[in-house]
Amino acid sequence: MKKVCIAMDYNPSAKKIAETGHSLARSLDAELTLVHVIADAAYYAVDYAPFMGFESPFMHTYSELAVDLRRGAENYLSRSAQHLGSPNIKTAVLEGDTANAILEYATGHNMDLLVIGKHSHTGLGNILMGNTAVKLVKQSNIAILVVPVQD
């Protein structure tokens, strides 16, 4: 295995996932890439008329918001790479459906291993939010290390 990809979200458990994947990549002397997916910036750019005295806190244009979300994700990945302390960690901000974006990136960049977390959502949480880890395991032709984490 020469290429390892770690998928990271903004959950505090990402630290454990990143450190586990980084340790494995170092032991394999593998290239390491951290990725984060922006699922749908349009969701945050909803512009609606004020109601009950409340106005949307996201009164940006879609393009401004997309730039802000990307900049925030790039900063997050950069700081995560610095935390891990290896000089050649690559980063990539992806967009789209989380599982599909990760698989497309990993396949397109010939990754040998994906490292992901498995959050402890309830059954209802999995139904409402989906379960990226399950989708990845079902759809991937790439080896996956699933790091169990507690939310």
Side-chain angles (χ1 to χ4, degrees), residues 14-33:
K15 179 180 182 209
K16 178 181 177 185
I17 297 160
E19 289 173 349
T20 301
H22 177 250
S23 178
L24 180 59
R26 273 194 348 203
S27 70
L28 296 170
D29 195 29
E31 177 183 296
L32 180 61
T33 303

Side-chain angles (χ1 to χ4, degrees), residues 42-79:
Y43 173 80
Y44 299 97
V46 174
D47 187 12
Y48 52 83
F51 64 95
M52 297 187 300
F54 178 76
E55 292 185 37
S56 172
F58 305 111
M59 298 303 279
H60 299 289
T61 64
Y62 175 81
S63 61
E64 288 172 338
L65 183 60
V67 168
D68 288 345
L69 289 171
R70 177 168 283 285
R71 187 176 300 128
E74 288 169 349
N75 184 46
Y76 170 62
L77 292 176
S78 174
R79 288 180 180 256

Side-chain angles (χ1 to χ4, degrees), residues 13 16-17 116-119 145-150:
S13 63
K16 178 181 177 185
I17 297 160
I116 62 173
K118 169 58 180 100
H119 297 295
L145 170 63
V146 180
V147 179
V149 293
Q150 297 297 318

Side-chain angles (χ1 to χ4, degrees), residues 16 18 22 51 53-54 76 81-83 85-88 102 107 117 119 123 134-135 137 141-142 145:
K16 178 181 177 185
H22 177 250
F51 64 95
F54 178 76
Y76 170 62
Q82 288 172 0
H83 168 79
S86 292
N88 297 319
I102 292 168
T107 302
H119 297 295
V134 170
K135 289 179 190 175
V137 169
N141 293 323
I142 299 167
L145 170 63

